[in-house]
Amino acid sequence: MAERKKIVVLTGAGMSVESGLTTFRDAGGLWDNYPVERVATHEGWEANPNYVNDFYNMLRVKYKDVQPNEGHLLLKELEKDYDVVVVTQNVDALHEAAGSSKVIHLHGEMMKMCSSRDVDNPRYWVSLPHEGFGETGLEVPHDAKAEDGSLLRPYIVFFGEGVPNMYDAVQEAQTADIFIIIGTSLNVYPAAGLVQYVKAGTPIYLIDPKPVTAKQDVTHLMCGASEGMRLLRERLAKEYKV
């Protein structure tokens, strides 16, 4: 029996648009209404942690009933025939909700809180919903504290902070037999640089309805995540006879 090929997938905001999630960067996106420097920087947190927590409380409640779209589900389906690793820039949990078994979050997770003193220490993470946080369990009180005594803050990689899971993502990209990019402009670093670690000659597929500039040789399917995954699944089945 032939060895299963490894697919590594990099996903961005466009992956979740069909689930009804607003992108951050596009016109009408969240950054238009909530200044990035106030809600997604360490300086913003230090200046007004209540404002930052209110913003993410709002997002969690707004998105609590959002479901994976067909694109998420088709990625999960690839696991029947391939070893699949999803590397996502998204802070939603839609890949996990779709059943993907290996997901690496580069920019944090909306459904987690962490110590504001020791952000990346899992000992102090709190998963949401949490029975102690109001009716929904998603709205974190302003005075909620981590076990180390510091204020709980969203487990989000703020602009200017390091990306702790980037090393793991690079290791996966280096061993990919097939690399897929879905719904990202390839403008946000270091995530956008991940494609540079893919071995020469590895097929790279890009699914995005907009023109995207890529330094590598890519096959661009100019459509949304769900349609793109349908087309790509058929293409892979023909090329790799699975």
Side-chain angles (χ1 to χ4, degrees):
M1 183 177 178
E3 184 178 352
R4 286 162 63 93
K5 291 190 176 295
K6 178 176 181 178
I7 294 179
V8 176
V9 188
L10 173 63
T11 68
M15 183 82 227
S16 298
V17 165
E18 292 172 43
S19 293
L21 298 194
T22 306
T23 63
F24 284 82
R25 293 174 174 273
D26 289 342
L30 287 168
W31 294 152
D32 283 353
N33 298 313
Y34 297 92
V36 60
E37 64 273 10
R38 293 193 65 189
V39 298
T41 65
H42 181 72
E43 292 76 15
W45 167 261
E46 289 289 326
N48 194 340
N50 291 347
Y51 184 85
V52 175
N53 271 335
D54 286 345
F55 172 72
Y56 291 99
N57 283 343
M58 177 273 295
L59 284 187
R60 283 189 292 268
V61 172
K62 183 178 179 180
Y63 295 161
K64 68 182 177 66
D65 296 321
V66 170
Q67 297 298 313
N69 61 56
E70 185 183 3
H72 292 104
L73 298 173
L74 289 175
L75 267 185
K76 160 60 181 172
E77 288 296 305
L78 287 181
E79 294 186 13
K80 293 179 180 178
D81 301 302
Y82 304 90
D83 290 328
V84 181
V85 179
V86 177
V87 179
T88 187
Q89 297 168 263
N90 299 335
V91 297
D92 60 54
L94 293 178
H95 286 299
E96 289 89 342
S100 288
S101 58
K102 187 164 187 182
V103 182
I104 297 173
H105 284 270
L106 293 181
H107 295 162
E109 300 177 57
M110 191 188 302
M111 291 299 181
K112 283 183 180 176
M113 300 294 288
C114 62
S115 158
S116 53
R117 184 183 301 142
D118 196 1
V119 174
D120 297 311
N121 189 336
R123 177 180 175 184
Y124 303 126
W125 292 348
V126 176
S127 296
L128 303 172
H130 186 282
E131 62 181 12
F133 296 157
E135 188 174 326
T136 66
L138 298 172
E139 297 175 278
V140 181
H142 291 164
D143 60 353
K145 299 241 181 108
E147 288 190 9
D148 66 353
S150 69
L151 281 178
L152 279 174
R153 63 159 257 195
Y155 184 56
I156 301 294
V157 177
F158 290 155
F159 284 92
E161 293 183 332
V163 179
N165 289 335
M166 191 64 190
Y167 176 81
D168 292 339
V170 167
Q171 297 298 109
E172 300 293 354
Q174 289 175 330
T175 57
D177 297 307
I178 302 164
F179 195 81
I180 302 171
I181 305 163
I182 306 175
T184 175
S185 62
L186 294 179
N187 288 326
V188 180
Y189 285 83
L194 194 63
V195 68
Q196 299 172 10
Y197 294 94
V198 177
K199 297 189 301 287
T202 301
I204 302 173
Y205 299 94
L206 170 63
I207 298 172
D208 197 282
K210 300 177 182 178
V212 176
T213 301
K215 296 179 181 179
Q216 287 75 11
D217 182 21
V218 304
T219 299
H220 188 177
L221 304 177
M222 291 189 69
C223 50
S226 296
E227 181 184 356
M229 278 303 305
R230 288 195 297 270
L231 294 172
L232 183 55
R233 184 178 62 168
E234 294 173 3
R235 182 166 186 154
L236 293 178
K238 292 177 181 177
E239 293 187 4
Y240 298 102
K241 303 295 190 296
V242 296

